[in-house]
Amino acid sequence: MNSTANRLRRWSRNVHRELSFFFSGMLLIYAVSGLVMNHRDTINPNYSVEQRRYVVGEPLSARDRLTRDDVVRLLAPLDEADNYTKHYFPESDVLKVFLKGGSSLTVRLSDGEAFYEKLTRRPVLGTMTRLHYNPGRWWTWFSDLFAVGLVAIVASGLLLLKGPKGLRGRGGVELAAGIAVPLLFLIFF
């Protein structure tokens, strides 16, 4: 019986080690992107947002005389002239300009007060977050493999230690606490 238990522990150690190494990158991606997604009210995981208020230096034409070329000239100081997509007037005195990539410019025609919002895609963090939303069928297969791997890591980890530090000792208490915390959240929150 003792040699069977030792073989099981050795097998568990090998499975635990190999799967932990293989899935460590995935664990880091989910940990970092999950942390950022939990705090979306303070950080946008997909875009960096730069906002700037200023006054347009040149006099502006009235709404009915404002041409596309006039609007594009307003974008030149922002280095956004090539990014113009369209414009409209949400209010009679307000011009809203949409730019490629989601940026925008809002200008009050009467006094030239402008609000520029520039969106820049976060390449690493945005891509990591995208994985949380399951971008496609191929990712579903890998995510399923990852989930099965996590179950195997947990099961093998439970069998690694014996005695007072193992499942029948401190490890069992920690396991019970780790199960109780999410259950308490589900029950009370």
Side-chain angles (χ1 to χ4, degrees):
M1 180 72 172
N2 197 12
S3 78
T4 303
N6 286 339
R7 273 197 307 256
L8 181 61
R9 243 186 288 313
R10 192 175 325 116
W11 178 83
S12 294
R13 187 171 28 259
N14 291 336
V15 166
H16 192 82
R17 181 188 61 236
E18 300 304 326
L19 289 178
S20 293
F21 279 129
F22 183 75
F23 287 119
S24 63
M26 188 71 172
L27 285 167
L28 286 172
I29 286 170
Y30 272 111
V32 170
S33 60
L35 185 64
V36 173
M37 288 173 64
N38 283 343
H39 298 280
R40 282 180 289 209
D41 56 334
T42 56
I43 183 171
N44 183 328
N46 298 309
Y47 294 95
S48 172
V49 181
E50 173 191 333
Q51 298 175 334
R52 183 169 35 145
R53 289 191 181 279
Y54 66 98
V55 176
V56 173
E58 63 185 76
L60 299 170
S61 302
R63 172 184 174 169
D64 56 344
R65 289 190 309 247
L66 199 65
T67 67
R68 181 185 191 279
D69 290 337
D70 294 331
V71 174
V72 170
R73 263 195 305 282
L74 290 173
L75 299 173
L78 301 170
D79 292 325
E80 293 281 11
D82 294 335
N83 293 325
Y84 171 89
T85 57
K86 66 180 180 176
H87 71 276
Y88 84 109
F89 297 90
E91 298 172 27
S92 62
D93 188 40
V94 177
L95 165 69
K96 176 93 177 196
V97 184
F98 295 99
L99 306 168
K100 292 176 187 169
S103 299
S104 66
L105 174 68
T106 306
V107 182
R108 193 166 49 228
L109 298 177
S110 60
D111 60 7
E113 185 178 331
F115 178 73
Y116 172 58
E117 185 172 73
K118 180 177 184 174
L119 300 180
T120 307
R121 189 169 274 293
R122 295 181 191 268
V124 176
L125 197 54
T127 302
M128 290 168 69
T129 304
R130 184 171 172 256
L131 295 177
H132 252 100
Y133 294 118
N134 194 352
R137 187 171 185 185
W138 63 271
W139 189 252
T140 300
W141 288 100
F142 186 74
S143 294
D144 290 348
L145 178 65
F146 177 59
V148 170
L150 288 178
V151 170
I153 289 170
V154 169
S156 62
L158 293 175
L159 300 174
L160 285 178
L161 296 175
K162 62 181 179 178
K165 293 182 182 177
L167 197 53
R168 292 187 182 166
R170 184 176 74 202
V173 172
E174 291 170 351
L175 174 64
I179 292 171
V181 169
L183 287 177
L184 290 172
F185 272 96
L186 287 173
I187 292 168
F188 294 110
F189 298 105

PDB file of all heavy atoms in Angstrom, residues 7 17 21 57 114 120 122 129 147 159 172 180:
ATOM      1  N   ARG A   7       4.032   5.943  -5.347  1.00  0.00           N
ATOM      2  CA  ARG A   7       3.954   6.069  -6.809  1.00  0.00           C
ATOM      3  C   ARG A   7       2.920   7.125  -7.203  1.00  0.00           C
ATOM      4  O   ARG A   7       3.137   7.912  -8.121  1.00  0.00           O
ATOM      5  CB  ARG A   7       3.587   4.718  -7.434  1.00  0.00           C
ATOM      6  CG  ARG A   7       4.797   3.846  -7.716  1.00  0.00           C
ATOM      7  CD  ARG A   7       4.449   2.745  -8.684  1.00  0.00           C
ATOM      8  NE  ARG A   7       3.282   1.980  -8.240  1.00  0.00           N
ATOM      9  CZ  ARG A   7       3.337   0.762  -7.690  1.00  0.00           C
ATOM     10  NH1 ARG A   7       4.477   0.141  -7.573  1.00  0.00           N
ATOM     11  NH2 ARG A   7       2.244   0.159  -7.286  1.00  0.00           N
ATOM     12  N   ARG A  17       3.874  19.455 -11.818  1.00  0.00           N
ATOM     13  CA  ARG A  17       5.003  20.258 -12.313  1.00  0.00           C
ATOM     14  C   ARG A  17       4.854  20.553 -13.804  1.00  0.00           C
ATOM     15  O   ARG A  17       4.948  21.704 -14.223  1.00  0.00           O
ATOM     16  CB  ARG A  17       6.318  19.532 -12.056  1.00  0.00           C
ATOM     17  CG  ARG A  17       7.554  20.299 -12.528  1.00  0.00           C
ATOM     18  CD  ARG A  17       8.824  19.482 -12.431  1.00  0.00           C
ATOM     19  NE  ARG A  17       8.724  18.299 -13.281  1.00  0.00           N
ATOM     20  CZ  ARG A  17       8.893  17.041 -12.835  1.00  0.00           C
ATOM     21  NH1 ARG A  17       9.170  16.806 -11.579  1.00  0.00           N
ATOM     22  NH2 ARG A  17       8.789  16.025 -13.667  1.00  0.00           N
ATOM     23  N   PHE A  21       4.038  24.280 -15.459  1.00  0.00           N
ATOM     24  CA  PHE A  21       4.927  24.973 -16.393  1.00  0.00           C
ATOM     25  C   PHE A  21       4.193  25.299 -17.696  1.00  0.00           C
ATOM     26  O   PHE A  21       4.287  26.405 -18.214  1.00  0.00           O
ATOM     27  CB  PHE A  21       6.169  24.127 -16.709  1.00  0.00           C
ATOM     28  CG  PHE A  21       7.245  24.210 -15.669  1.00  0.00           C
ATOM     29  CD1 PHE A  21       7.796  23.055 -15.146  1.00  0.00           C
ATOM     30  CD2 PHE A  21       7.719  25.426 -15.218  1.00  0.00           C
ATOM     31  CE1 PHE A  21       8.797  23.121 -14.185  1.00  0.00           C
ATOM     32  CE2 PHE A  21       8.719  25.507 -14.263  1.00  0.00           C
ATOM     33  CZ  PHE A  21       9.259  24.345 -13.748  1.00  0.00           C
ATOM     34  N   GLY A  57      -8.135  78.544 -32.461  1.00  0.00           N
ATOM     35  CA  GLY A  57      -7.562  79.865 -32.700  1.00  0.00           C
ATOM     36  C   GLY A  57      -8.192  80.630 -33.840  1.00  0.00           C
ATOM     37  O   GLY A  57      -8.166  81.850 -33.853  1.00  0.00           O
ATOM     38  N   ALA A 114     -13.038  73.773 -27.495  1.00  0.00           N
ATOM     39  CA  ALA A 114     -12.937  72.433 -28.091  1.00  0.00           C
ATOM     40  C   ALA A 114     -12.552  71.406 -27.033  1.00  0.00           C
ATOM     41  O   ALA A 114     -11.850  71.719 -26.069  1.00  0.00           O
ATOM     42  CB  ALA A 114     -11.899  72.444 -29.205  1.00  0.00           C
ATOM     43  N   THR A 120      -6.081  55.479 -27.841  1.00  0.00           N
ATOM     44  CA  THR A 120      -4.962  54.701 -28.371  1.00  0.00           C
ATOM     45  C   THR A 120      -5.109  53.286 -27.843  1.00  0.00           C
ATOM     46  O   THR A 120      -5.221  53.074 -26.625  1.00  0.00           O
ATOM     47  CB  THR A 120      -3.612  55.289 -27.898  1.00  0.00           C
ATOM     48  OG1 THR A 120      -3.582  56.677 -28.218  1.00  0.00           O
ATOM     49  CG2 THR A 120      -2.452  54.582 -28.562  1.00  0.00           C
ATOM     50  N   ARG A 122      -4.405  49.774 -26.436  1.00  0.00           N
ATOM     51  CA  ARG A 122      -3.357  49.172 -25.610  1.00  0.00           C
ATOM     52  C   ARG A 122      -3.037  47.805 -26.217  1.00  0.00           C
ATOM     53  O   ARG A 122      -3.826  46.873 -26.084  1.00  0.00           O
ATOM     54  CB  ARG A 122      -3.834  48.988 -24.176  1.00  0.00           C
ATOM     55  CG  ARG A 122      -4.125  50.280 -23.452  1.00  0.00           C
ATOM     56  CD  ARG A 122      -4.566  49.957 -22.027  1.00  0.00           C
ATOM     57  NE  ARG A 122      -5.098  51.086 -21.350  1.00  0.00           N
ATOM     58  CZ  ARG A 122      -4.383  51.908 -20.589  1.00  0.00           C
ATOM     59  NH1 ARG A 122      -3.106  51.700 -20.428  1.00  0.00           N
ATOM     60  NH2 ARG A 122      -4.960  52.924 -19.985  1.00  0.00           N
ATOM     61  N   THR A 129      -6.901  41.032 -22.483  1.00  0.00           N
ATOM     62  CA  THR A 129      -8.296  41.151 -22.075  1.00  0.00           C
ATOM     63  C   THR A 129      -9.220  40.488 -23.092  1.00  0.00           C
ATOM     64  O   THR A 129     -10.211  39.856 -22.726  1.00  0.00           O
ATOM     65  CB  THR A 129      -8.670  42.635 -21.904  1.00  0.00           C
ATOM     66  OG1 THR A 129      -7.771  43.220 -20.966  1.00  0.00           O
ATOM     67  CG2 THR A 129     -10.078  42.796 -21.407  1.00  0.00           C
ATOM     68  N   ALA A 147      -8.882  24.506 -18.787  1.00  0.00           N
ATOM     69  CA  ALA A 147      -9.755  24.181 -17.649  1.00  0.00           C
ATOM     70  C   ALA A 147      -9.505  22.763 -17.157  1.00  0.00           C
ATOM     71  O   ALA A 147      -9.389  22.527 -15.940  1.00  0.00           O
ATOM     72  CB  ALA A 147     -11.225  24.352 -18.050  1.00  0.00           C
ATOM     73  N   LEU A 159      -2.654  15.765  -3.729  1.00  0.00           N
ATOM     74  CA  LEU A 159      -2.042  14.483  -3.385  1.00  0.00           C
ATOM     75  C   LEU A 159      -0.537  14.586  -3.125  1.00  0.00           C
ATOM     76  O   LEU A 159       0.091  13.588  -2.788  1.00  0.00           O
ATOM     77  CB  LEU A 159      -2.280  13.471  -4.514  1.00  0.00           C
ATOM     78  CG  LEU A 159      -3.738  13.185  -4.833  1.00  0.00           C
ATOM     79  CD1 LEU A 159      -3.837  12.295  -6.066  1.00  0.00           C
ATOM     80  CD2 LEU A 159      -4.437  12.542  -3.650  1.00  0.00           C
ATOM     81  N   GLY A 172      -5.755  20.349   4.300  1.00  0.00           N
ATOM     82  CA  GLY A 172      -7.209  20.149   4.281  1.00  0.00           C
ATOM     83  C   GLY A 172      -7.958  21.363   4.805  1.00  0.00           C
ATOM     84  O   GLY A 172      -9.016  21.724   4.288  1.00  0.00           O
ATOM     85  N   ALA A 180     -14.784  27.610   1.032  1.00  0.00           N
ATOM     86  CA  ALA A 180     -15.779  28.375   1.792  1.00  0.00           C
ATOM     87  C   ALA A 180     -15.869  29.835   1.346  1.00  0.00           C
ATOM     88  O   ALA A 180     -16.979  30.389   1.283  1.00  0.00           O
ATOM     89  CB  ALA A 180     -15.454  28.309   3.282  1.00  0.00           C
TER      90      ALA A 180
END
